[in-house]
Amino acid sequence: MKIGFVGLGNVGGKLAGSLVRNGLEVAVHDLDAALVQAFVERGARAGGSPAQMMQDCDAVITCLPSPAASDAVVSEMLPHVQPGKIWMEMSTTDVEEVKRLGALVAERGGAPVDCPVSGGCHRADTGNISIYAGCERETFDRILPILTTMGRRILHVGEIGNSSTLKVMTNYLANMNLLAVMEALTVMKACGMDLGMTFEAISMSSGTSFAHETESQLILSGSRDVNFTMDLVMKDIGLFQTLADRHNVPLELSPLMIEMMKDGQRRYGERAQSDRMIERLEEATGLSITAPGFPPELIDDEPEEPGYEVVVRRAAAE
């Protein structure tokens, strides 16, 4: 299968890298010509444009920073969609927008898929990230070899839009966990606890989380460089708040987190690394939330493994 990949940024570049590294036939496109050239040197082909890639490829993947960017790219590809063509949206985006674009693709006989990833850039880099896929089962079976090359655990979630709904939920939880971990570490420091010991105590307890096991290390090392910026966090948690508003769910924590992140952007810049939110607490307390022995960047030390479909638990048939 010929694959096109549009968007070679922090996440997209790593996902496309897994395809190229594993020998799949990949054409790439990005507004940054240097990124395209780097992929050509690794064995990919320059795609020319999204329109050209939809003509030349069986499946075109988009991994872009905003719904507006996805709209622009899909609009360019749309005249060239025909039966048998697949559009795979791997961006974190608004559920209603991915449904709208998917309907336009389907009207022309194409097969739309929304398949965002979850698990951190370090796992996207090694092909060990998790992927949700919302699409028809027939389409899922067709693209599964592509998904299992980019990710380890693949979950078919039903119709298009379900993946984007789940993805913004997981990002909401990750960011909420991160802010809670920051407060926990700061209180432990104020209590005189060794932060290296505190890290291990959390990791082995019921209070642990993915955010703690990964980003706490970057906080304690002092690097605070998670390769994910505050503007992206704001997009993600804003999308989750939009879901709640649409369904009349009166959230309390979500609005507070949004205001906290806005304050972080005012202090450190709209595109500051999200882990710099710890500095709000350091400034308020005069404490340094750092400890020796922690890495300045996250590296996935698990070997790359072939991906597989995750089977959803169901009640046993009577």
Side-chain angles (χ1 to χ4, degrees):
M1 182 180 287
K2 295 180 180 179
I3 305 164
F5 204 109
V6 182
L8 303 174
N10 283 343
V11 177
K14 294 174 175 59
L15 296 171
S18 289
L19 296 173
V20 174
R21 182 174 64 252
N22 285 284
L24 278 69
E25 186 174 353
V26 183
V28 296
H29 175 75
D30 194 277
L31 294 178
D32 187 337
L35 293 177
V36 174
Q37 182 57 36
F39 266 84
V40 170
E41 293 171 2
R42 293 165 62 181
R45 176 174 60 83
S49 68
Q52 187 64 51
M53 294 165 77
M54 182 55 75
Q55 294 177 65
D56 296 343
C57 299
D58 302 297
V60 177
I61 299 168
T62 51
C63 192
L64 300 163
S66 69
S70 291
D71 176 58
V73 169
V74 172
S75 296
E76 185 178 340
M77 296 191 300
L78 203 57
H80 308 284
V81 174
Q82 56 185 303
K85 298 285 187 177
I86 300 173
W87 167 55
M88 299 168 60
E89 171 65 292
M90 301 196 79
S91 317
T92 301
T93 189
D94 177 70
V95 59
E96 296 303 323
E97 180 65 1
V98 76
K99 286 182 177 180
R100 182 185 71 83
L101 294 176
L104 295 175
V105 169
E107 284 175 6
R108 299 189 60 87
V113 185
D114 74 311
C115 46
V117 301
S118 184
C121 287
H122 62 302
R123 289 186 177 173
D125 202 25
T126 57
N128 288 329
I129 203 162
S130 298
I131 305 176
Y132 308 136
C135 58
E136 296 290 337
R137 181 69 211 195
E138 181 181 355
T139 302
F140 178 79
D141 290 338
R142 188 178 171 199
I143 64 171
L144 188 56
I146 300 174
L147 298 177
T148 53
T149 301
M150 292 186 289
R152 179 181 295 184
R153 291 181 292 182
I154 317 300
L155 181 64
H156 182 232
V157 299
E159 65 184 23
I160 189 168
N162 286 354
S163 293
S164 291
T165 301
L166 291 166
K167 175 59 191 295
V168 298
M169 178 269 294
T170 63
N171 281 12
Y172 165 80
L173 288 172
N175 286 293
M176 185 65 72
N177 287 340
L178 177 61
L179 294 179
V181 163
M182 291 177 178
E183 293 191 349
L185 291 173
T186 304
V187 172
M188 291 301 98
K189 177 71 171 185
C191 291
M193 290 292 184
D194 176 89
L195 288 182
M197 180 181 67
T198 299
F199 175 88
E200 298 300 339
I202 297 172
S203 296
M204 64 189 287
S205 77
S206 59
T208 195
S209 67
F210 179 83
H212 166 68
E213 292 170 5
T214 55
E215 295 187 60
S216 285
Q217 299 190 65
L218 302 180
I219 291 169
L220 293 172
S221 74
S223 77
R224 284 86 194 263
D225 186 359
V226 70
N227 204 19
F228 203 78
T229 51
M230 291 187 187
D231 60 320
L232 295 177
V233 172
M234 287 296 292
K235 180 192 75 168
D236 292 348
I237 62 179
L239 288 170
F240 183 77
Q241 182 64 50
T242 297
L243 287 177
D245 293 341
R246 282 177 184 160
H247 295 279
N248 300 312
V249 181
L251 300 183
E252 298 179 72
L253 294 176
S254 175
L256 176 59
M257 178 164 60
I258 290 171
E259 288 305 311
M260 292 172 68
M261 292 303 305
K262 285 181 178 178
D263 181 63
Q265 287 186 302
R266 285 191 293 267
R267 294 175 186 237
Y268 312 120
E270 290 189 358
R271 290 188 53 77
Q273 290 292 316
S274 60
D275 283 349
R276 291 193 63 190
M277 287 292 287
I278 188 64
E279 295 173 23
R280 295 169 69 249
L281 289 165
E282 289 180 320
E283 292 167 7
T285 63
L287 299 172
S288 174
I289 311 304
T290 57
F294 288 91
E297 63 178 336
L298 294 177
I299 297 174
D300 184 11
D301 56 6
E302 294 184 21
E304 183 174 6
E305 295 182 1
Y308 59 90
E309 180 182 357
V310 173
V311 179
V312 177
R313 299 180 188 182
R314 304 290 188 195
E318 296 183 0

